[in-house]
Amino acid sequence: MAERPTLAPEKVSDAVKSQIAGFHRAIVDEVAAAVSRDRVVVVGMAQNPFVKKARSLLDQEGVKHTYLEYGSYLSKWKERLALKLWAGFPTFPMVFIDGVLEGGYADLVKLRDQGRLKPQP
């Protein structure tokens, strides 16, 4: 498995590290808390058809999920950027299952096709 390239920590000043750590931290903390608390979490945005498809697929499969929405194409882009920086995933939805970022809608389809999306007991 390939690791994504990131800038080496020693190449980032302490001031920038502090800025990054605080960038919309409340939203990052909110998502992190939901991911650690709830079995399935979908992070999305209004107007995005793939977010709607992912939630619909989970509903069809009987998989309960927590949904967190941050803005639309015209709002809260900085908040979503903070989540992208945190997760290292470039698009929405972000789907977490058992604390693991599984990907987006296409990844959910693959999980379903593999029989790996199970309703909660």
Side-chain angles (χ1 to χ4, degrees), residues 63-118:
V63 177
K64 294 178 191 173
H65 62 279
T66 298
Y67 177 57
L68 301 172
E69 182 174 281
Y70 298 101
S72 67
Y73 287 106
L74 302 176
S75 67
K76 296 194 177 183
W77 66 268
K78 286 184 180 181
E79 289 87 338
R80 290 192 308 278
L81 176 58
L83 294 171
K84 291 175 180 183
L85 290 168
W86 170 71
F89 192 69
T91 61
F92 291 95
M94 292 180 186
V95 180
F96 297 85
I97 301 175
D98 295 323
V100 175
L101 175 60
E102 294 290 346
Y105 171 69
D107 304 293
L108 269 184
V109 170
K110 290 176 189 174
L111 291 174
R112 181 203 57 204
D113 293 349
Q114 295 167 355
R116 295 178 50 207
L117 274 184
K118 305 287 183 198

Side-chain angles (χ1 to χ4, degrees), residues 13-95:
S13 73
D14 288 341
V16 170
K17 287 177 187 174
S18 180
Q19 184 180 2
I20 292 168
F23 188 65
H24 293 284
R25 182 62 182 262
I27 290 186
V28 172
D29 289 346
E30 180 179 45
V31 172
V35 168
S36 67
R37 178 188 68 231
D38 301 335
R39 180 175 173 263
V40 179
V41 177
V42 177
V43 181
M45 56 185 281
Q47 301 172 323
N48 183 314
F50 292 98
V51 172
K52 186 175 182 178
K53 288 179 180 184
R55 295 182 69 208
S56 180
L57 186 149
L58 290 169
D59 288 342
Q60 290 168 9
E61 296 296 313
V63 177
K64 294 178 191 173
H65 62 279
T66 298
Y67 177 57
L68 301 172
E69 182 174 281
Y70 298 101
S72 67
Y73 287 106
L74 302 176
S75 67
K76 296 194 177 183
W77 66 268
K78 286 184 180 181
E79 289 87 338
R80 290 192 308 278
L81 176 58
L83 294 171
K84 291 175 180 183
L85 290 168
W86 170 71
F89 192 69
T91 61
F92 291 95
M94 292 180 186
V95 180

